[in-house]
């Protein structure tokens, strides 16, 4: 019988122990830092926030400035409390 263990990490964003990501979200030092300090739950929250930013700011990921903006916002979202929420954004109401 094989017992499956779930790796956990103390999540900097959620301020609690939570399920870890299964691998770094992208290569390089920032990807490794996120892997070591951010939980799967917080990463999923970032992906939702990223989608909001792309849509509300009408960003094109082909544009290097847009990618740089998203990377900075990701750092703010995951590692501080000061991140961008587009003014006037209202989340869709549940159907």
């Amino acid at each position: 019988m094989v017992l499956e263990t779930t790796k956990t990490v103390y999540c900097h964003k959620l301020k609690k122990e939570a399920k870890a990501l299964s691998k770094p979200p992208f290569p390089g030092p920032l990807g490794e830092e996120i892997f070591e300090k951010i939980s799967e739950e917080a990463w999923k929250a970032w992906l939702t926030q990223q989608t909001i930013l792309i849509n509300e700011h009408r960003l094109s990921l082909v544009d290097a400035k847009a990618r740089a903006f998203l990377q900075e916002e990701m750092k703010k979202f995951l590692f501080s409390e000061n991140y961008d929420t587009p003014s006037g954004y209202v989340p869709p109401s549940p159907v």
Side-chain angles (χ1 to χ4, degrees), residues 2-91:
V2 177
L3 294 176
E4 188 175 313
T5 58
T6 302
K7 182 181 174 200
T8 62
V9 64
Y10 181 80
C11 181
H12 188 84
K13 174 73 177 170
L14 302 178
K15 308 287 190 242
K16 67 178 185 177
E17 197 75 22
K19 183 178 178 187
L21 291 166
S22 60
K23 63 182 181 175
F26 47 85
L30 182 57
E32 284 296 324
E33 182 178 12
I34 291 168
F35 179 65
E36 293 170 7
K37 297 179 180 178
I38 300 298
S39 68
E40 183 179 86
E41 179 184 351
W43 181 252
K44 287 178 181 178
W46 160 246
L47 295 177
T48 299
Q49 176 71 5
Q50 175 180 252
T51 301
I52 291 167
L53 293 172
I54 291 168
N55 291 337
E56 294 297 314
H57 290 286
R58 293 170 173 65
L59 300 177
S60 169
L61 298 181
V62 175
D63 181 6
K65 289 181 183 175
R67 290 192 312 273
F69 168 76
L70 285 174
Q71 185 174 42
E72 284 306 309
E73 289 304 313
M74 176 184 64
K75 290 177 195 176
K76 290 178 194 175
F77 182 85
L78 295 174
F79 297 110
S80 79
E81 301 300 320
N82 299 323
Y83 57 89
D84 183 36
T85 301
S87 63
Y89 173 75
V90 178

